[in-house]
Amino acid sequence: MPERPRAILILGGTREASNLAEQLCRREGLRVVSSLAGRTMKPLTGAGEWRIGGFGGVEGLATFLRDEGIDTVIDATHPFAETMSLHAVEAASRIGISLLTLLRPAWERRTDDRWVEVGGLNEAALAVPEGGRAFLALGSQHIGAFAERADAHFIVRMVDRPRQAPPLASCELVIGRPGDTVADEIELFRSRSVTCIVSRNSGGGSYEKIQAARELGIPVIMIARPVPQPGATFATVDALLSAID
Ligand code: NAP
């Protein structure tokens, strides 16, 4: 019987994950399956096989890994996708297969940045100045943390128009992905009279909003990352690729 190709599962939802899938698909004898949570209406899919939607916790992921004959999991999720990363560690260890993590470096504060560094969403909500016009660069599921701040106005950017209005007393929506250039972000912040930005320290792309805030002298309420899972971790796609023979 011919040997089954080696199978890799990429837990995705980031540009790096799509890039990784594309590069791994060029290798012979490798089956590459990518997985997305299904949060956006037009997901950024690409090379190889794709599946969309949750697995059903650690148990569901472990079953998927076993049924699909996956021998390596690559966690290329967003640095704030804490639950998925934890599930990946637990499921891979349960099945006894290897797990590699792609974790882009966090953004570093520069001396000309005006960052207010906070530990989480609730702290970020408290840090928004009274009467401020805060730009929220956060997923829709995180907006509720700002609901108590009826004394501030929020400009909320979301990839897709939400089915329900955000639970904020005073807000406006900007539908779309982040601007491609710093100039785009400056133009947006100026046109909406933004006085502060709330951002997670995602690292990687989408840095234009942070640069734009720097140029405009606007403070950024920067939410620190969760503690990463232990294990083999790589900062770049190339570094991770070189670890796969
Ligand atoms: P999360 O809180 O860590 O995960 C919640 C649940 O969503 C997981 O338990 C899992 O459901 C499902 N899930 C998450 N990522 C998945 C994936 N790649 N494939 C299949 N199921 C997945 O994650 P999140 O913060 O909601 O992020 C969801 C996705 O959006 C991630 O893939 C992430 O890379 C991407 N993303 C997140 C952010 C962010 O700010 N957090 C930003 C950009 C992109 P089950 O337990 O049912 O398996």
Side-chain angles (χ1 to χ4, degrees):
M1 246 181 36
E3 207 181 313
R4 186 164 53 177
R6 211 172 136 195
I8 291 185
L9 173 69
I10 301 175
L11 298 169
T14 57
R15 279 185 206 156
E16 293 95 320
S18 308
N19 183 354
L20 202 52
E22 197 181 317
Q23 307 230 34
L24 285 171
C25 280
R26 293 192 193 133
R27 297 193 184 182
E28 295 264 321
L30 204 57
R31 180 177 166 225
V32 181
V33 184
S34 294
S35 175
L36 294 175
R39 298 276 189 271
T40 54
M41 273 153 57
K42 287 186 197 147
L44 297 168
T45 53
E49 297 172 41
W50 288 80
R51 64 162 303 288
I52 297 184
F55 295 94
V58 177
E59 194 62 47
L61 177 57
T63 303
F64 179 89
L65 296 173
R66 212 181 279 117
D67 290 353
E68 295 292 324
I70 303 289
D71 43 41
T72 302
V73 179
I74 299 177
D75 177 6
T77 56
H78 189 270
F80 282 84
E82 258 184 293
T83 308
M84 190 68 252
S85 294
L86 178 63
H87 290 181
V89 170
E90 292 181 0
S93 121
R94 196 180 287 185
I95 307 281
I97 60 173
S98 60
L99 169 69
L100 308 174
T101 299
L102 179 60
L103 185 64
R104 49 171 105 132
W107 296 318
E108 298 281 344
R109 179 194 192 141
R110 280 181 21 171
T111 49
D112 50 349
D113 280 321
R114 292 179 62 197
W115 287 11
V116 179
E117 290 174 88
V118 296
L121 280 168
N122 293 338
E123 217 184 305
L126 292 173
V128 173
E130 195 181 328
R133 292 176 60 84
F135 180 79
L136 300 187
L138 302 167
S140 55
Q141 68 272 36
H142 307 302
I143 304 301
F146 297 82
E148 302 287 304
R149 294 302 311 273
D151 56 344
H153 179 75
F154 295 94
I155 297 103
V156 186
R157 178 158 65 198
M158 293 178 173
V159 176
D160 299 315
R161 186 167 291 283
R163 284 202 198 105
Q164 287 176 337
L168 301 169
S170 174
C171 76
E172 59 199 85
L173 292 177
V174 178
I175 304 300
R177 295 189 186 271
D180 289 329
T181 66
V182 179
D184 289 343
E185 298 293 59
I186 288 178
E187 164 62 22
L188 174 68
F189 296 162
R190 280 207 176 117
S191 68
R192 308 276 177 153
S193 305
V194 169
T195 60
C196 75
I197 316 281
V198 180
S199 172
R200 301 170 135 202
N201 194 338
S202 305
S206 307
Y207 186 56
E208 291 79 8
K209 60 180 178 284
I210 308 301
Q211 292 170 292
R214 181 187 300 141
E215 288 197 22
L216 293 171
I218 295 174
V220 177
I221 299 170
M222 186 65 86
I223 303 172
R225 290 176 169 202
V227 178
Q229 294 298 324
T233 301
F234 303 85
T236 63
V237 169
D238 285 347
L240 193 142
L241 284 170
S242 63
I244 300 174
D245 44 32

